Amino acid sequence: MKKLHYTIILFIFLGPLAIGQKLVLKKGEIIEGLAVNDSTKSTFSLYLPTNFRTDTEWPLLMVFDVEGKEKQAISMFVPAAEKEGYILAAPKMVDSLSLTNNMLLTGKTMEEVVNMLPIKQGRVYAAGSSAGGRFATLVPIFIKGVKGAISIGASLANRELLNIKSPFHFIGMVGKDNYEYTSMLTDTKLLDKMKFPNQMLLFDGGNDWPSFDYLEKGLQLFTLDAMGRKLIPKDSAYVEKAYQEDLAKLNQLKNIGDLLWAEQYMTEMMSIYGAHKNLDSLRLVQKELRKDKQFRSMKRNENSAFLKESMLKEDYQYYMEEDIYTHNFNNLGWWNHQRGEIKKFMTGTDPFEKEMGHRLLGFVNALAEDYIDLVRSDEVVDEDALAFLYMLKTILEPENFEYYLKTISLSAKNEDFGTSLFYLEEAFKKGFKDREKLYTLEGTALFRITPEFNELVSKYLKDALYEIDEN
């Protein structure tokens, strides 16, 4: 095949009766809307590194976003793919609920890419953030040939599906403020026990995505593992450069006094470089660190926070389920108090309780959102349960106007205008000013012509769409 400097010409035959279709794939940019050869008219996005050549086999990273934002997800990995030499592909997943449909689409997309491009056997991986990351952990279980998964901010989707006879390489990335942090710690212990290769990379904050250097590190870990397993030739210079980068990171953590993170980082380094180097000196450093009084004190404090967090999570889960089932609107005051207690943790002086506070707030928000999805998926929607959850979300996320509007819409639909007025004024007090969104809110036609509605709008937005009858 003729090699072009900027463009690769590939011919794909769509079937025995189809005419050969010429497909132009440009290097160094995300190509959207490529067809999957099936009856569903599915598509996927593709990224080829700028140094791509057809006479070399390449590793493939399948990137997932279950909300159909595959271009944004794949773009996050582009710098890492360029540096580490990976092809990226992302199916357009339009069905966020059907695991079966999404897994079938993933398999067909992967098959399309493997048939189209020179992909290295044994070097196909999956990756994603949040729900996409959780889905990625299932891909090596259900699709043969996928050897690893990067999950950002999400624990394993189903631990019971893990098969000790079919291990895959798991890389978790999470911030200590993320509510999934403790679950991912549990995951890594289980994977260690089952002898799955795994690393957990911690990053600051609770954001869904870490910085680009973490994504580069994830792909680097897959490459180092492939060298260790002799899937590709060992590059001693590559290994040494990666090792020195990790030593620098380790020393940085020790210098800023984050001894727990430093100890954990050494554990990950030994799992990475054990196949490449003698690590006796690193083991000695870790052994001495574990004896350090400051380290042991920090470990006790962290474990104490973990225990408190576990107990509070159990309480939140129990009471939320009870309140939803019994439509216990009177307990919204208790939830408001709990949010205040969580805020105290978040603004306190204990660093482990501050992290715990962020995780607890993330946990109750995720729990409420899961219940919203569950209630809305029922054939007959329990609107009282839904109303409770919408109101709860205004407590948990007081600056998020989405749930004020959902509460207003649902209560107005049922002609409970008193509740609609209360949440409308609460939204106005918090700074809501989107007149267009308010006047197009579903189910509020009757509510919007009431004098009370128009008085509120006039008070906070200066003028109303309808005149107020003063007589």
Side-chain angles (χ1 to χ4, degrees), residues 176 181-182 184-186 188-189 192 200 202 257-268 286 288-309 350-353 355 359:
K176 285 190 175 184
Y181 171 55
T182 53
M184 291 182 79
L185 285 175
T186 302
T188 57
K189 291 176 182 177
D192 286 342
M200 185 168 75
L202 303 179
D258 199 332
L259 303 185
L260 296 184
W261 194 345
E263 191 275 337
Q264 187 267 348
Y265 204 81
M266 278 187 272
T267 298
E268 306 305 349
Q286 186 183 51
E288 291 301 314
L289 179 59
R290 287 173 174 173
K291 293 178 181 178
D292 185 271
K293 287 184 178 180
Q294 185 181 0
F295 170 82
R296 295 172 72 174
S297 174
M298 293 171 74
K299 194 67 176 175
R300 284 194 299 271
N301 291 339
E302 184 183 53
N303 287 338
S304 176
F306 284 160
L307 179 60
K308 185 182 294 186
E309 180 178 350
D350 186 316
F352 300 104
E353 289 199 347
E355 292 169 352
R359 292 195 297 267

Side-chain angles (χ1 to χ4, degrees), residues 99 103 137-144 161:
L99 172 62
M103 201 60 70
T137 68
L138 293 171
V139 175
I141 296 172
F142 288 108
I143 299 181
K144 187 178 180 181
L161 292 175

Side-chain angles (χ1 to χ4, degrees), residues 133-195:
R134 189 169 285 107
F135 179 83
T137 68
L138 293 171
V139 175
I141 296 172
F142 288 108
I143 299 181
K144 187 178 180 181
V146 181
K147 299 301 183 181
I150 295 175
S151 179
I152 303 167
S155 54
L156 293 169
N158 192 323
R159 295 169 185 149
E160 294 179 2
L161 292 175
L162 298 174
N163 185 348
I164 197 169
K165 295 181 180 179
S166 301
F168 62 89
H169 190 169
F170 173 78
I171 299 172
M173 300 183 187
V174 67
K176 285 190 175 184
D177 287 351
N178 191 309
Y179 73 96
E180 290 276 20
Y181 171 55
T182 53
S183 295
M184 291 182 79
L185 285 175
T186 302
D187 287 345
T188 57
K189 291 176 182 177
L190 175 62
L191 292 169
D192 286 342
K193 185 177 180 181
M194 298 181 71
K195 304 203 181 305

Side-chain angles (χ1 to χ4, degrees), residues 61 63 72-86 88 127-129 150-153 171-174 201 203 208-223 238:
L61 184 73
V63 182
Q72 293 92 318
I74 205 172
S75 67
M76 296 297 291
F77 282 95
V78 163
E82 276 293 311
K83 184 175 180 181
E84 294 297 323
Y86 280 67
L88 305 176
S129 175
I150 295 175
S151 179
I152 303 167
I171 299 172
M173 300 183 187
V174 67
L201 304 181
F203 59 88
D208 288 340
W209 287 93
S211 57
F212 290 134
D213 58 324
Y214 277 85
L215 304 181
E216 290 174 4
K217 173 59 69 174
L219 299 190
Q220 183 188 82
L221 293 181
F222 283 148
T223 299
Y238 180 94

Side-chain angles (χ1 to χ4, degrees), residues 312-321 363 367 371:
L312 287 170
K313 282 180 177 178
E314 286 183 10
D315 284 348
Y316 297 152
Q317 195 152 8
Y318 172 80
Y319 284 112
M320 193 177 296
E321 185 175 348
F363 175 78
L367 190 62
Y371 275 121

Side-chain angles (χ1 to χ4, degrees), residues 3 24 51 87 117 122 126 161 201 206 208 215 251 254-255 298 300-301 326 332 346-347 353 376 416 428 468-469:
K3 299 173 190 173
V24 179
N51 63 340
I87 291 171
L117 299 168
L161 292 175
L201 304 181
D208 288 340
L215 304 181
N251 289 328
K254 290 168 67 178
N255 289 337
M298 293 171 74
R300 284 194 299 271
N301 291 339
T326 60
L332 288 170
M346 294 169 63
T347 57
E353 289 199 347
R376 293 182 63 182
D416 180 5
F428 282 146
I468 302 170
D469 186 357

